[in-house]
Amino acid sequence: MATNKEKTRARDTKVIAAAWRLIARGGVTALTVKALATEADVAPSSMLYTMPSHAVVRERALEAIAPRIRDRIGKLPADTEEGPERARALLTSLLPLDDQRRLEASVLVALSASALTEPALQPAWREVDGTIRDVCAQALRTLGVRGDVVALDHLHTFINGLVAQLMGRGDQRSAQWAYAALDRELLRYGG
């Protein structure tokens, strides 16, 4: 039998997943108590204990992104050798090339904009951005580039821009252009 803590955690996971779907469909303003409760299939009153405000929901929704990225990176095949293939796998894992990563990117883009004016979101945004930057640093290390902050800044900016372009273009165009752009970028570092 599940404990109260496990039930609360399961409900919160449901609510965050529902918040992600609402944000992806209608932006941050879609996060009303009624819409969120309906989407999560929970009573509005049950959310009040752990998510007492919209701000807390937005914060938790943003906080959920970095662990997902780290989990995805952790599941990459360990047998992939260092070098261009490993760098490409690391960086591709950041791109919205499937439904789950597209959902994640939608939430990140929407809540990143909110973080500009909501100080409470800034620590969670910094964690997500730092996680993305760490993956970029890992990719550079697999290519033999270490300690080059300018290269890291450039690759991090490139990946953020590539994510934005993929999100803006949606499914209207094959993602092959993104792979080609990534491969060309990796050539800059000997990949």
Side-chain angles (χ1 to χ4, degrees), residues 19-21 23-25 27-28 61-62 64-66 68-69 72 91-114 125 128 132 159-170:
W20 276 32
R21 292 189 301 272
I23 291 168
R25 283 196 311 261
V28 177
L62 189 53
I65 296 173
R68 286 181 61 144
I69 293 170
R72 200 165 46 247
L91 297 172
T92 300
S93 72
L94 297 172
L95 302 178
L97 298 171
D98 62 31
D99 290 341
Q100 282 302 309
R101 288 182 284 166
R102 186 174 302 283
L103 176 63
E104 183 181 292
S106 294
V107 173
L108 178 57
V109 169
L111 292 177
S112 292
S114 294
W125 179 86
V128 175
I132 293 167
I159 290 298
N160 285 337
L162 192 53
V163 167
Q165 285 295 308
L166 282 162
M167 292 305 296
R169 293 178 186 204

Side-chain angles (χ1 to χ4, degrees), residues 63 65-75 127 131 135:
E63 287 171 352
I65 296 173
R68 286 181 61 144
I69 293 170
R70 289 190 294 265
D71 184 54
R72 200 165 46 247
I73 295 300
K75 290 179 180 175
E127 181 184 357
T131 300
V135 174

Side-chain angles (χ1 to χ4, degrees), residues 157-189:
T157 302
F158 173 82
I159 290 298
N160 285 337
L162 192 53
V163 167
Q165 285 295 308
L166 282 162
M167 292 305 296
R169 293 178 186 204
D171 296 330
Q172 300 164 353
R173 184 176 171 199
S174 164
Q176 290 306 316
W177 71 269
Y179 289 114
L182 179 59
D183 288 342
R184 177 168 285 184
E185 182 64 18
L186 290 174
L187 287 173
R188 296 171 63 92
Y189 311 103

Side-chain angles (χ1 to χ4, degrees), residues 78-93:
D79 61 347
T80 306
E81 293 183 29
E82 298 289 305
E85 187 178 327
R86 179 72 178 173
R88 188 177 200 245
L90 286 163
L91 297 172
T92 300
S93 72

